[in-house]
Coordinates of all heavy atoms in Angstrom, one line a residue:
Chain G
A56 N 24.1 8.4 35.7 CA 23.6 8.9 34.4 C 22.0 9.1 34.4 O 21.3 8.3 35.0 CB 23.9 7.9 33.2
K57 N 21.6 10.2 33.8 CA 20.2 10.4 33.7 C 19.8 10.9 32.4 O 20.7 11.5 31.6 CB 19.7 11.4 34.8 CG 19.7 10.8 36.1 CD 19.0 11.7 37.2 CE 18.9 11.0 38.5 NZ 18.7 11.9 39.5
F58 N 18.6 10.8 31.9 CA 18.2 11.2 30.5 C 16.8 12.0 30.6 O 16.1 11.9 31.5 CB 18.0 10.0 29.6 CG 16.8 9.3 29.8 CD1 15.6 9.6 28.9 CD2 16.5 8.3 30.7 CE1 14.4 9.0 29.1 CE2 15.2 7.7 30.8 CZ 14.2 8.0 30.1
K59 N 16.7 12.7 29.6 CA 15.4 13.3 29.1 C 15.2 13.1 27.6 O 16.2 13.3 26.9 CB 15.4 14.9 29.4 CG 15.1 15.1 30.9 CD 14.5 16.4 31.2 CE 14.1 16.5 32.7 NZ 13.3 17.8 32.9
T60 N 14.2 12.6 27.2 CA 14.0 12.3 25.8 C 12.6 12.8 25.3 O 11.6 12.5 26.0 CB 14.1 10.8 25.5 OG1 15.5 10.4 25.8 CG2 13.7 10.4 24.2
F61 N 12.6 13.5 24.1 CA 11.4 13.7 23.3 C 11.4 12.7 22.2 O 12.3 12.7 21.4 CB 11.5 15.1 22.8 CG 10.6 15.5 21.7 CD1 9.3 15.8 21.9 CD2 11.0 15.5 20.4 CE1 8.4 16.2 20.9 CE2 10.1 15.8 19.4 CZ 8.8 16.2 19.6
G62 N 10.5 11.9 22.1 CA 10.4 10.8 21.1 C 9.5 9.8 21.3 O 8.7 9.8 22.3
C63 N 9.5 8.8 20.5 CA 8.4 7.7 20.5 C 8.8 6.7 21.7 O 9.8 6.9 22.3 CB 8.3 7.0 19.1 SG 9.9 6.2 18.7
G64 N 8.0 5.8 21.9 CA 8.0 4.8 22.9 C 9.4 4.1 22.8 O 10.0 4.0 23.8
A65 N 9.9 3.8 21.6 CA 11.1 3.1 21.5 C 12.4 4.0 21.8 O 13.3 3.5 22.5 CB 11.3 2.6 20.0
A66 N 12.2 5.3 21.5 CA 13.3 6.2 21.9 C 13.4 6.3 23.5 O 14.5 6.5 24.0 CB 13.0 7.6 21.2
I67 N 12.2 6.5 24.0 CA 12.2 6.6 25.5 C 12.8 5.2 26.2 O 13.7 5.3 27.0 CB 10.8 6.8 26.1 CG1 10.4 8.4 25.6 CG2 10.7 6.7 27.6 CD1 9.0 8.7 25.9
A68 N 12.4 4.1 25.7 CA 12.9 2.9 26.3 C 14.4 2.7 26.0 O 15.1 2.2 26.8 CB 12.1 1.7 25.6
T69 N 14.9 3.1 24.8 CA 16.3 2.9 24.6 C 17.1 3.9 25.5 O 18.2 3.6 26.0 CB 16.7 3.1 23.1 OG1 16.1 4.3 22.6 CG2 16.3 1.9 22.2
S70 N 16.5 5.1 25.7 CA 17.2 6.0 26.5 C 17.4 5.5 28.0 O 18.4 5.6 28.6 CB 16.4 7.3 26.6 OG 16.2 7.9 25.3
S71 N 16.2 4.9 28.5 CA 16.2 4.4 29.8 C 17.3 3.2 29.8 O 18.1 3.2 30.9 CB 14.8 3.9 30.1 OG 14.8 3.1 31.3
M72 N 17.2 2.4 28.9 CA 18.1 1.2 28.8 C 19.7 1.5 28.8 O 20.4 1.0 29.5 CB 17.8 0.3 27.7 CG 18.6 -1.0 27.6 SD 18.7 -2.0 29.2 CE 17.3 -3.0 29.0
V73 N 19.9 2.6 28.1 CA 21.3 3.0 28.0 C 21.8 3.5 29.3 O 23.0 3.3 29.7 CB 21.5 4.0 26.8 CG1 21.3 5.4 27.1 CG2 23.0 3.8 26.3
T74 N 21.0 4.2 30.1 CA 21.4 4.7 31.4 C 21.7 3.6 32.3 O 22.6 3.6 33.0 CB 20.3 5.7 32.1 OG1 19.1 4.9 32.2 CG2 20.2 6.9 31.3
E75 N 20.8 2.5 32.2 CA 21.1 1.3 33.0 C 22.5 0.7 32.6 O 23.1 0.1 33.6 CB 19.9 0.3 32.8 CG 18.6 0.6 33.3 CD 18.3 -0.3 34.5 OE1 17.9 -1.4 34.3 OE2 18.4 0.2 35.6
M76 N 22.7 0.6 31.4 CA 23.9 -0.1 30.9 C 25.2 0.6 31.2 O 26.2 0.0 31.4 CB 23.7 -0.3 29.4 CG 22.7 -1.4 29.0 SD 22.4 -1.4 27.3 CE 23.7 -2.4 26.7
V77 N 25.2 1.9 31.3 CA 26.5 2.8 31.4 C 26.9 2.9 32.9 O 28.0 3.1 33.1 CB 26.5 4.0 30.7 CG1 26.3 3.9 29.2 CG2 25.4 5.0 31.2
I78 N 25.8 3.0 33.8 CA 26.3 3.2 35.2 C 27.1 2.1 35.7 O 26.7 0.9 35.6 CB 24.9 3.5 36.0 CG1 24.1 4.7 35.5 CG2 25.3 3.6 37.5 CD1 22.8 4.9 36.2
G79 N 28.2 2.5 36.2 CA 29.2 1.6 36.8 C 30.3 1.2 35.8 O 31.3 0.6 36.1
K80 N 30.1 1.6 34.6 CA 31.1 1.2 33.5 C 32.1 2.3 33.5 O 32.0 3.5 33.8 CB 30.5 1.0 32.2 CG 29.7 -0.3 32.1 CD 29.6 -0.8 30.6 CE 29.1 -2.2 30.5 NZ 27.7 -2.3 31.0
T81 N 33.4 1.9 33.0 CA 34.4 3.0 32.7 C 34.0 3.6 31.4 O 33.1 3.1 30.6 CB 35.9 2.3 32.5 OG1 35.8 1.6 31.4 CG2 36.2 1.5 33.7
V82 N 34.6 4.8 31.2 CA 34.3 5.5 29.9 C 34.6 4.7 28.8 O 33.8 4.6 27.8 CB 35.0 6.9 30.0 CG1 34.9 7.6 28.6 CG2 34.5 7.8 31.1
E83 N 35.7 4.0 28.8 CA 36.1 3.1 27.6 C 35.0 2.1 27.4 O 34.6 1.7 26.3 CB 37.5 2.6 27.8 CG 38.6 3.5 27.6 CD 38.5 4.2 26.2 OE1 38.2 3.5 25.2 OE2 38.7 5.4 26.2
E84 N 34.7 1.4 28.5 CA 33.6 0.3 28.4 C 32.3 0.8 27.9 O 31.7 0.2 27.0 CB 33.4 -0.4 29.8 CG 34.5 -1.2 30.3 CD 34.4 -1.5 31.7 OE1 33.6 -0.9 32.4 OE2 35.1 -2.5 32.1
A85 N 31.9 2.0 28.3 CA 30.7 2.6 27.9 C 30.7 2.9 26.4 O 29.7 2.7 25.7 CB 30.4 3.9 28.6
L86 N 31.8 3.4 25.9 CA 31.9 3.8 24.4 C 31.8 2.5 23.5 O 31.5 2.7 22.4 CB 33.2 4.5 24.2 CG 33.2 6.0 24.7 CD1 34.6 6.6 24.4 CD2 32.1 6.8 23.9
A87 N 32.1 1.4 24.1 CA 32.0 0.2 23.4 C 30.5 -0.3 23.2 O 30.3 -1.2 22.3 CB 32.9 -1.0 24.0
I88 N 29.6 0.3 23.9 CA 28.2 0.0 23.7 C 27.6 0.5 22.5 O 27.7 1.7 22.2 CB 27.4 0.5 25.0 CG1 27.9 -0.1 26.3 CG2 25.9 0.2 24.8 CD1 27.3 0.5 27.5
S89 N 27.1 -0.5 21.6 CA 26.6 0.0 20.4 C 25.1 0.1 20.4 O 24.5 -0.4 21.4 CB 26.9 -1.1 19.3 OG 26.2 -2.3 19.6
N90 N 24.5 0.6 19.4 CA 23.1 0.9 19.4 C 22.3 -0.5 19.3 O 21.3 -0.8 19.9 CB 22.6 1.8 18.2 CG 22.8 1.1 16.9 OD1 23.9 0.7 16.6 ND2 21.6 1.0 16.2
K91 N 23.1 -1.5 18.6 CA 22.5 -2.9 18.6 C 22.5 -3.6 19.9 O 21.5 -4.2 20.2 CB 23.4 -3.7 17.6 CG 23.2 -3.3 16.2 CD 23.7 -4.3 15.2 CE 23.4 -4.0 13.7 NZ 24.4 -2.9 13.3

Side-chain angles (χ1 to χ4, degrees):
Chain G
K57 284 187 177 167
F58 81 93
K59 284 207 169 186
T60 291
F61 164 82
C63 64
I67 290 169
T69 50
S70 302
S71 167
M72 181 51 88
V73 83
T74 57
E75 286 252 285
M76 290 170 82
V77 298
I78 294 173
K80 286 206 168 61
T81 65
V82 169
E83 281 310 315
E84 286 166 345
L86 282 178
I88 297 171
S89 67
N90 72 303
K91 286 196 182 74

